[in-house]
Structure formats: C-alpha cells, structure tokens
C-alpha cells in the first residue's frame, strides 16, 4: 500500500466513443493500488452511464475524489481540494453549467455524513464497499438528492462491477492489477484499514480465474494480485480443497499468456508453506516481495498487535530466501509508535541491517482516530520522530543504492511496457519492479527480452539487449 497519487488518464480505447462528448468524469486517486483499481472500476461502471473519462477537473461534469485515510492529513487534503471545487462549482453556476462532486474511498467510509455537513459542495459520498451502486446514486443526485452510501453492502460488489479491460492496466495493457481480497482482520493497533475497508473478504476462485483469463486474452502478460492482506486470501479450489494464495498462484501460472505474477501486500503471519514453495517452484512468480515488518523491537511489535517477533520475521525471510535465492525484499516501517524508546528504535535499525531491503516505505507514526494506538500513553515527540525517520531512511537508501549497484553487469528478463522518450528506446520492468530503459530497436510492447544492465539511477536501470532467448522463449 505505498502512498501514491495518480490521476486517471483518459482511456481512449474504452469502447465508449459513441457516448463521448456527453458527460465527462475526472477521478483523482490517492493512496494504494487498491484505490487505483477501484477508481478504474468506478470509471468503467460510469462508462455504461455515458460518462467518458477526462484528466482534468475543468473539463469534467463529475469529479470523484478517491481518498486514502491511512496516514495523517488525509482529511485536510480532501477539504482543501473540496474548497477548490466549490469555487469551480460557483463559477460554473454563473455560466449555467453543472458540476457534480463525489467523494469515495476510505475517508468517505470513515467520515460519511460529516463530509456532506462540512462541505456543501459534495453531492455524493460512497464508501469502498458500495461502488457498484454508483450509477443509482448518481441518478438520485440528478433528482436533487445528496447521497451518502457507506453502508456495507450485502451483495458482492465485484459481481456487480464491470470486469476490467486491457486498456485500464498500469502500462499500456501488458500489466494489470487484479483484486483478490479486500479488508483486514488483523487489527494492528496503528491501522485504520480494518475499520475503513471492513473485515477480510476473499473473492471466489472462479471469479478470479475468469478475470485473469480475460486479461490474458486482452494481452496482459504480468498480473499483480492485490489485497490489503493479500496472502490471507483463501477460497475453495477447483479440486474441492481449501486453497490459500500459494495454490491460487500455481493455478494462475497455468493461464496461457501470463508470464509474470506478483502479489501485494502481505502480512508475515500469512506466509504459509505452500506460498513459500510457490516462490521455489514458479519462475514466473517474480522474485520481489513486499513484506512489511513495521518495527524491530518485540515490545513495540507486541504493542502494535503484529503477533510475531523480530526473530520470527527474520527466520521467515531466511526460509523465503532458501526457496528463491534471488528474491529481493521491500518493507514498511513506522517510527515513533507510542512508547518507542531509543533502544526500541535501534532494534528497528538492526532488523533492517539483518534483513537488507531493496526498497522500503517508512513513515512517522500518525495517530488515527478510533484506533487503539491513538489512545496509548507515551506518544513520541514530533522532533524525535523526525530524527528517527531520517536515520532510518538514510540506512534504507544506502541499501537501495547497494541493491541497484549490485545489478550492474547482470542480465535479466525485462518486460517491455512502452516506448521510451528517445527514438529506438523502450521502457520495461525488471523482475524487481524497477523501470528499465533499454536502447533497443525492434522490441515490441509485451515482449520479454534479455537485458544486460549497464548503469542505474535511484530506482531505474539502464540496459542493452542481449541477443539470446529468454527463459520464457521469446527473443
Ligand atoms: N501511522 C504511520 N504509518 C502507518 N501505516 C499504516 N497506518 C499508519 C499510521 N497510523 C503504514 C504502515 C503500513 C503502510 C501501508 O502504512 O507501515 O504498512
Ligand atoms: Fe493494517 Fe495491519 Fe491489516 Fe495491514 S495487517 S491492513 S497494517 S491492520
């Protein structure tokens, strides 16, 4: 759940051309990939209502803000965006042109009615469990109602939302996200997710396979399975047995056309043997795992309700590395959780040294209203959090830099995703998710080619094509 802010680009090939120029929707997405996926689902369900996507609010008849509540300032950000929209709406009213404003996502779920009370500009509030009701909600807005839809729906929203299409994918159709699980029952004491996204729900196997096959048919080569707690996914397999994520990955690996699999985000407690074996047995399961530990002190891990110790985590990493020696890890860390002493923080630095990360996200603890952490004693002063974050990030950057440097001279499979800026240049993805700039003529989007790395940036790689067959047989 890395923190990104993505604007939904118009989807030229969305098949709604005949309805274009009727009404336009602009979706602004904050937060994790789950929100990116949801924004696309909402855009799709609105296409059926005659809305075509646009990438500016000025151009839109409907603006939807898909919010994230995971860390602080989420509501401040939302209310300042709504302030700007209010001005736009007022200006339009003078021209006799309408603007409908909706708030979706986790802040919508958490604050519901409060949003319509505080921001009269808002016509519509929808929580993540009710996106499939968006068209009906909009119809009610058109009748003059202000709508708040944050009840947990009994019906399965995935059944009611349109299936994804090739074009909505992360990069020109060769990579795609597929949500397999939502919500969380872990109740880490710092986290709002169990409250905003609700308890854990896994999508059924048949539904996932159908969506994956459809994406493969449309030319998708890399699938990233999404879930707040993706490795807690479980379901009844085709063989009648209860499957975990490992079994699901073995099955997805059989889908023709799919050449790469990934999954995000995982909890250490749900890394079962089958999932670890999948890393051993499936070369197409990319050797890059986001496995947050949050802190290195057992006392803090206990207070966070992570239900594992630092030693448990390190042992787990050892087992995963035994299964797949080239695996690289990324993690999430929180500094300044209530009660964290200098010694506790040192333990976080130590676990980072012991594990070694290729990439990481690190945050200052931010008390989330309604979570147990917010009510704990001994909150850490902001200045101390700042200083710890700086030290942790310095160490993590060093490790990221070392990982980047370690790839120079190595060859690796790269999935070509798009044309580069210069003529003859392409941009692809390494197995470890880095963008790779390749000076290559003749490579096609969707090809997996063998590349030798010649230099690196902070996160990107630069390579040249090696003229040999790659592991999946493409040249
Ligand atoms: N304060 C700081 N960081 C948080 N995260 C989640 N909740 C909080 C919080 N209250 C971080 C965790 C999580 C990531 C998505 O965001 O590290 O893994
Ligand atoms: Fe939040 Fe913990 Fe659930 Fe992750 S596992 S979503 S951090 S409660």
């Amino acid at each position: 759940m890395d923190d990104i802010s993505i604007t939904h680009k118009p989807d030229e090939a969305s098949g709604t051309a005949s309805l274009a120029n009727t009404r336009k929707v602009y979706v602004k997405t904050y937060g994790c990939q789950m929100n990116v996926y949801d924004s696309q689902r909402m855009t799709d369900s609105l296409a059926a209502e005659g809305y075509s996507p646009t990438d500016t609010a000025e151009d839109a008849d409907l603006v939807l803000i898909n919010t994230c509540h995971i860390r602080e300032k989420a509501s401040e950000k939302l209310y300042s965006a709504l302030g700007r929209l209010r001005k736009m709406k007022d200006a339009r009213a003078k021209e006799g042109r309408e603007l409908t404003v909706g708030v979706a996502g986790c802040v919508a779920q958490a604050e519901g009615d409060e949003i319509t009370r505080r921001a009269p500009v808002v016509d519509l509030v929808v929580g993540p469990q009710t996106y499939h009701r968006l068209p009906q909600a909009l119809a009610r807005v058109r009748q003059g109602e202000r709508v708040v839809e944050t009840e947990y729906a009994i019906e399965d929203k995935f059944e009611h939302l349109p299936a994804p299409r090739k074009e909505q994918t992360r990069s020109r159709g060769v990579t795609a996200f597929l949500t397999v699980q939502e919500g969380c029952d872990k109740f880490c004491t710092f986290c709002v997710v169990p409250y905003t996204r609700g308890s854990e729900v896994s999508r059924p196997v048949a539904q996932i396979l159908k969506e994956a096959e459809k994406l493969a048919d449309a030319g998708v080569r890399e699938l990233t399975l999404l879930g707040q707690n993706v490795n807690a996914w479980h379901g009844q397999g085709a063989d009648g047995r209860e499957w975990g994520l490992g079994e699901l990955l073995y099955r997805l690996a059989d889908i023709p056309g799919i050449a790469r699999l990934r999954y995000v985000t995982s909890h250490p407690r749900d890394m079962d043997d089958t999932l670890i074996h999948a890393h051993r047995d499936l070369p197409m399961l990319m050797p890059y795992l986001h496995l947050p530990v949050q802190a290195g002190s057992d006392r803090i891990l206990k207070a966070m309700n992570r239900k594992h110790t630092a030693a448990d985590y390190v042992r787990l990493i050892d087992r995963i590395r035994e299964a797949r020696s080239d695996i690289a890890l990324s993690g999430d860390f929180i500094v300044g959780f209530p009660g964290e002493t200098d010694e506790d923080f040192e333990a976080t630095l130590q676990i980072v040294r012991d594990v070694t990360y290729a990439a990481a996200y690190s945050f200052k603890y931010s008390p989330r209203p309604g979570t147990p952490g917010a009510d704990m004693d001994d909150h850490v002063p902001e200045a101390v959090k700042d200083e710890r974050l700086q030290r942790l990030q310095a160490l993590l950057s060093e490790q990221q830099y070392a990982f980047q440097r370690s790839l120079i001279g190595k060859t690796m499979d790269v999935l070509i995703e798009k044309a580069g800026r210069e003529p003859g240049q392409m941009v692809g993805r390494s197995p470890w998710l880095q963008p790779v700039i390749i000076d290559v003529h003749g490579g096609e989007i969707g090809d997996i080619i063998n590349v030798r790395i010649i230099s690196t940036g902070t996160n990107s790689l630069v390579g040249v094509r090696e003229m040999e067959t790659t592991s999946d047989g493409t040249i």
Side-chain angles (χ1 to χ4, degrees):
M1 285 190 290
D2 44 329
D3 203 18
I4 42 177
S5 165
I6 285 180
T7 296
H8 250 90
K9 291 277 183 300
D11 194 352
E12 291 115 51
S14 67
T16 56
S18 59
L19 295 166
N21 304 325
T22 45
R23 278 177 295 196
K24 290 200 169 136
V25 57
Y26 167 67
V27 185
K28 174 81 184 164
T29 307
Y30 293 97
C32 62
Q33 281 112 339
M34 193 78 96
N35 268 13
V36 176
Y37 180 93
D38 283 346
S39 286
Q40 190 59 55
R41 294 276 79 71
M42 287 192 273
T43 309
D44 290 348
S45 70
L46 290 170
E49 302 294 304
Y51 283 93
S52 57
T54 171
D55 60 356
T56 63
E58 288 75 21
D59 204 25
D61 306 284
L62 166 64
V63 173
L64 280 178
I65 305 179
N66 195 1
T67 57
C68 171
H69 199 223
I70 193 97
R71 285 176 294 275
E72 65 205 324
K73 306 225 167 75
S75 21
E76 286 93 322
K77 258 192 235 165
L78 170 65
Y79 288 110
S80 62
L82 290 174
R84 290 191 295 275
L85 288 170
R86 184 175 50 82
K87 285 192 192 122
M88 190 184 290
K89 196 170 186 162
D90 289 347
R92 286 208 194 167
K94 289 185 191 127
E95 299 162 12
R97 195 179 153 209
E98 280 185 19
L99 175 67
T100 306
V101 176
V103 179
C106 294
V107 181
Q109 187 63 44
E111 299 192 4
D113 291 318
E114 171 71 15
I115 297 174
T116 46
R117 247 197 313 275
R118 263 185 74 176
V121 68
V122 174
D123 302 291
L124 169 72
V125 177
V126 275
Q129 312 306 327
T130 43
Y131 293 155
H132 55 290
R133 298 206 199 132
L134 196 54
Q136 292 91 317
L138 273 172
R140 283 162 59 200
V141 170
R142 261 179 252 124
Q143 310 277 310
E145 222 183 299
R146 291 180 87 201
V147 178
V148 178
E149 282 267 22
T150 50
E151 291 297 306
Y152 279 18
I154 304 157
E155 65 267 54
D156 178 359
K157 79 170 173 182
F158 292 109
E159 285 287 9
H160 292 80
L161 285 169
R165 290 162 295 105
K166 172 184 169 171
E167 301 79 20
Q168 54 142 57
T169 58
R170 162 149 60 88
S171 54
R172 314 266 168 99
V174 294
T175 62
F177 293 131
L178 199 173
T179 294
V180 299
Q181 180 278 344
E182 260 204 278
C184 182
D185 294 335
K186 295 281 190 297
F187 290 95
C188 299
T189 52
F190 53 80
C191 187
V192 284
V193 166
Y195 310 93
T196 53
R197 289 275 174 166
S199 60
E200 199 204 296
V201 179
S202 291
R203 291 179 73 187
V205 174
Q207 224 183 71
I208 295 168
L209 293 180
K210 202 165 124 196
E211 194 166 317
E213 278 158 9
K214 221 170 159 172
L215 288 165
D217 283 348
V220 166
R221 307 227 59 207
E222 178 180 299
L223 264 189
T224 301
L225 308 185
L226 294 183
Q228 258 98 26
N229 225 205
V230 71
N231 59 344
W233 178 90
H234 58 97
Q236 199 179 24
D239 54 5
R241 285 188 313 119
E242 182 72 4
W243 283 6
L245 190 70
E247 282 91 349
L248 182 66
L249 286 164
Y250 280 102
R251 175 65 187 82
L252 288 168
D254 287 339
I255 295 179
I258 299 295
R260 289 179 159 194
L261 292 168
R262 304 179 186 275
Y263 59 93
V264 72
T265 287
S266 299
H267 192 291
R269 280 174 53 85
D270 292 318
M271 289 300 300
D272 66 15
D273 288 349
T274 315
L275 186 51
I276 296 174
H277 291 160
H279 281 283
R280 180 194 61 196
D281 298 339
L282 299 174
M284 69 187 325
L285 182 54
M286 290 293 99
Y288 185 65
L289 180 62
H290 185 65
L291 196 60
V293 67
Q294 314 294 355
S297 141
D298 287 344
R299 213 173 60 80
I300 295 297
L301 286 169
K302 191 158 197 290
M304 286 178 163
N305 193 32
R306 294 289 292 176
K307 298 204 176 82
H308 62 78
T309 63
D312 292 336
Y313 180 83
V314 173
R315 257 195 308 272
L316 173 64
I317 298 295
D318 287 345
R319 288 183 55 219
I320 297 167
R321 285 202 164 119
E322 255 166 54
R324 178 93 197 230
S325 59
D326 62 347
I327 204 154
L329 290 151
S330 78
D332 290 342
F333 299 90
I334 297 177
V335 299
F337 187 77
E340 186 186 73
T341 62
D342 283 340
E343 203 184 341
D344 292 319
F345 174 64
E346 284 302 325
T348 297
L349 294 177
Q350 192 53 45
I351 203 166
V352 171
R353 285 186 206 106
D354 290 344
V355 171
T356 315
Y357 291 88
Y361 304 91
S362 44
F363 314 101
K364 288 188 285 181
Y365 172 69
S366 112
R368 310 312 297 141
T371 60
D375 296 329
M376 286 181 186
D377 298 329
D378 296 331
H379 279 266
V380 175
E382 216 43 40
V384 176
K385 287 187 200 170
D386 282 332
E387 194 260 338
R388 288 181 186 165
L389 187 67
Q390 261 183 30
R391 286 179 61 201
L392 175 61
Q393 289 186 337
L395 176 60
L396 289 166
S397 313
E398 232 174 74
Q399 294 191 345
Q400 178 173 3
Y401 183 66
F403 179 67
Q404 292 286 100
R405 302 284 309 167
S406 74
L407 297 176
I408 293 180
K410 294 233 164 81
T411 56
M412 62 183 68
D413 285 355
V414 170
L415 169 61
I416 301 185
E417 294 188 349
K418 56 186 178 190
R421 270 193 225 129
E422 312 290 328
Q425 205 179 55
M426 299 295 246
V427 183
R429 275 292 148 181
S430 78
W432 301 282
L433 218 48
Q434 296 120 316
V436 187
I437 298 152
I438 321 150
D439 235 336
V440 55
H441 293 267
E444 295 275 329
I445 291 171
D447 282 355
I448 295 177
I449 64 169
N450 204 245
V451 168
R452 189 162 44 82
I453 300 306
I454 52 172
S455 66
T456 69
T458 321
N459 178 47
S460 59
L461 303 172
V462 179
V464 289
R465 184 177 188 174
E466 292 270 276
M467 282 306 176
E468 57 188 63
T469 310
T470 63
S471 53
D472 88 328
T474 39
I475 300 270

